[in-house]
Amino acid sequence: MSTTKKAKYSVAIADDHVLVRKALGRLINTFSDYFMLFEASNGEEVIKIINSREIQLPDILILDVNMPGMNGYETATWINNHFPQIKVLALSMLNDESVIIKMLKSGAKGYIMKNVEPDDLRDAFDSIIKKDFYLPDYISGKVISGLQRDVLSVSEKIDLTPKEKYFLQLLCTELSYKEIAQKMYVSPRTIDDYKSSLCEKLKVKTRVGLVIFGIKYGLIDITN
């Protein structure tokens, strides 16, 4: 059975800077497949608009990470719990591993910097709509390979040991590598070995890459 492509996808923006919201809105309306649905200054306003039922739900919600009141983390968590069909794209000036991981763990489908080119923003939209995920290579300053795969073959099995799975879960926290070693009762050198082994198995290069792969393919329980 053939599927009909949606004419246009709706986008909402939550950012406490008026000029940023207005500029993004004008830019989005120039994209042939997308249009601006509404804008908000923080998470509380997003929830109020969505709960009013006066407008359709947005296909994509751009969330500034740092907003007064209800911030990006809290808002993404609320959206993921109540309206998981809304795809959250985190927006920030911060290229920080802990911030990226926390937003993805909160339910964001992607992360993008505020200084991107217009084409990059449109690519992010396209990837989130088509692949349910987006992360550009420049986020960590290194190429994170293997994260833009369309799907994992059902027959493809990721064989991780119980300790590797536990280590992967701990990577999704704010613990340092030293603290993870203490929690697992192993040496920092062993933690390095776990990381190297997982990077080799999952074909990624950084902690962010490991966490994103784990979240994307269900290897990490984000409810913990």
Side-chain angles (χ1 to χ4, degrees), residues 1 11 13 19 24 54 71 76 89 100 118 131 152 178 209 214 218:
M1 183 176 66
V11 181
I13 298 173
L19 288 177
L24 279 174
E54 293 178 358
N71 60 33
L89 175 63
I100 298 167
K131 303 179 182 180
L152 259 181
K178 182 178 180 180

Side-chain angles (χ1 to χ4, degrees), residues 65-66 73 90-105 110-115 135-142 144 171-175 206-209 211-212:
V65 174
N66 296 312
Y73 307 118
L91 180 70
S92 179
M93 290 296 296
L94 302 174
N95 182 4
D96 182 89
E97 283 194 349
S98 62
V99 174
I100 298 167
I101 290 172
K102 191 172 180 179
M103 276 304 296
L104 293 171
K105 190 175 180 181
Y111 192 102
I112 197 167
M113 303 290 290
K114 286 188 175 182
N115 61 352
L135 188 78
D137 291 335
Y138 62 77
I139 281 294
S140 64
K142 299 177 182 178
I144 303 175
L171 286 180
C172 203
T173 69
E174 296 181 7
L175 295 175
T206 67
R207 178 173 181 165
V208 170
V211 171
I212 293 167

Side-chain angles (χ1 to χ4, degrees), residues 59 78-88 107 109 132:
D59 294 301
W78 187 90
I79 291 293
N80 193 46
N81 288 336
H82 294 84
F83 297 97
Q85 66 270 43
I86 299 175
K87 301 177 187 296
V88 172
K109 298 294 186 180
D132 205 40

Side-chain angles (χ1 to χ4, degrees), residues 29-210:
N29 282 330
T30 67
F31 297 161
S32 59
D33 294 332
Y34 303 93
F35 71 95
M36 266 298 300
L37 183 63
F38 71 81
E39 60 181 66
S41 60
N42 55 36
E44 289 94 342
E45 194 172 345
V46 169
I47 292 174
K48 182 179 179 180
I49 294 172
I50 289 177
N51 280 336
S52 71
R53 308 289 181 174
E54 293 178 358
I55 61 172
Q56 69 186 79
L57 292 177
D59 294 301
I60 297 173
L61 172 61
I62 300 176
L63 273 184
D64 186 13
V65 174
N66 296 312
M67 297 181 289
M70 195 171 185
N71 60 33
Y73 307 118
E74 298 163 334
T75 309
T77 299
W78 187 90
I79 291 293
N80 193 46
N81 288 336
H82 294 84
F83 297 97
Q85 66 270 43
I86 299 175
K87 301 177 187 296
V88 172
L89 175 63
L91 180 70
S92 179
M93 290 296 296
L94 302 174
N95 182 4
D96 182 89
E97 283 194 349
S98 62
V99 174
I100 298 167
I101 290 172
K102 191 172 180 179
M103 276 304 296
L104 293 171
K105 190 175 180 181
S106 297
K109 298 294 186 180
Y111 192 102
I112 197 167
M113 303 290 290
K114 286 188 175 182
N115 61 352
V116 297
E117 295 293 331
D119 286 346
D120 293 327
L121 181 62
R122 186 174 55 213
D123 288 344
F125 288 172
D126 290 345
S127 183
I128 285 179
I129 290 296
K130 296 173 183 177
K131 303 179 182 180
D132 205 40
F133 181 80
Y134 177 78
L135 188 78
D137 291 335
Y138 62 77
I139 281 294
S140 64
K142 299 177 182 178
V143 175
I144 303 175
S145 62
L147 296 178
Q148 300 295 345
R149 304 176 187 178
D150 292 345
V151 292
L152 259 181
S153 169
V154 175
S155 62
E156 184 177 352
K157 181 180 179 182
I158 301 172
D159 187 20
L160 302 183
T161 68
K163 287 186 177 180
E164 285 176 332
K165 290 179 181 178
Y166 183 43
F167 173 62
L168 191 59
Q169 186 71 44
L170 291 176
L171 286 180
C172 203
T173 69
E174 296 181 7
L175 295 175
S176 67
Y177 286 117
K178 182 178 180 180
E179 291 169 331
I180 290 175
Q182 292 171 345
K183 195 171 183 68
M184 294 186 69
Y185 303 103
V186 297
S187 69
R189 177 62 184 271
T190 301
I191 291 299
D192 287 340
D193 291 341
Y194 283 153
K195 181 185 176 185
S196 296
S197 174
L198 279 177
C199 284
E200 177 66 25
K201 285 183 179 181
L202 305 184
K203 307 302 180 185
V204 298
K205 297 185 178 182
T206 67
R207 178 173 181 165
V208 170
L210 288 171

